[in-house]
Amino acid sequence: MTLNESLSYLADALVGITLRKDPHAFRMAYKSRKARILEYWAEAKPKLRRDVDRIAPIDALMDEMFYAFESGNQDKGVLIAMALWGCGHIKKLR
């Protein structure tokens, strides 16, 4: 998988984790969504060349996002996921 593909899938997975119309369905799908995010990010990180300095802040935001979801603070988790996706933190990495 190329870097662009990994980042694109990661961006899609970040949007996917925010879909929570039914709280029970969210809890059931959370583990697989988290696993996908971690998989795509692990795939992309070693391929980064220019933006290596952005890996640690993104890791920290992802940790905070997962902690928020797992602590029951879904609103905060959604905000962080959308910030990662919307601010171009993910799609613009090289």
Side-chain angles (χ1 to χ4, degrees):
M1 186 178 320
T2 68
L3 175 60
N4 286 339
E5 289 172 328
S6 297
L7 294 173
S8 179
Y9 290 140
L10 176 59
D12 291 345
L14 286 167
V15 171
I17 204 166
T18 66
L19 304 175
R20 59 182 179 111
K21 293 182 174 142
D22 175 20
H24 177 69
F26 175 82
R27 284 190 302 278
M28 298 301 292
Y30 173 75
K31 286 184 182 181
S32 65
R33 289 176 177 170
K34 178 181 177 181
R36 256 185 263 128
I37 288 170
L38 293 173
E39 174 188 343
Y40 297 138
W41 181 229
E43 175 89 24
K45 280 197 288 190
K47 296 176 185 172
L48 294 175
R49 300 290 179 242
R50 291 191 323 207
D51 295 323
V52 176
D53 59 324
R54 293 175 67 189
I55 291 173
I58 291 172
D59 280 337
L61 281 172
M62 285 192 184
D63 287 344
E64 187 177 351
M65 175 185 69
F66 292 133
Y67 180 77
F69 281 128
E70 292 163 11
S71 298
N73 191 347
Q74 290 184 352
D75 292 336
K76 182 176 181 180
V78 167
L79 287 174
I80 295 169
M82 294 314 295
L84 282 166
W85 176 84
C87 292
H89 285 216
I90 299 300
K91 290 184 176 184
K92 293 182 182 178
L93 295 175
R94 299 288 169 243

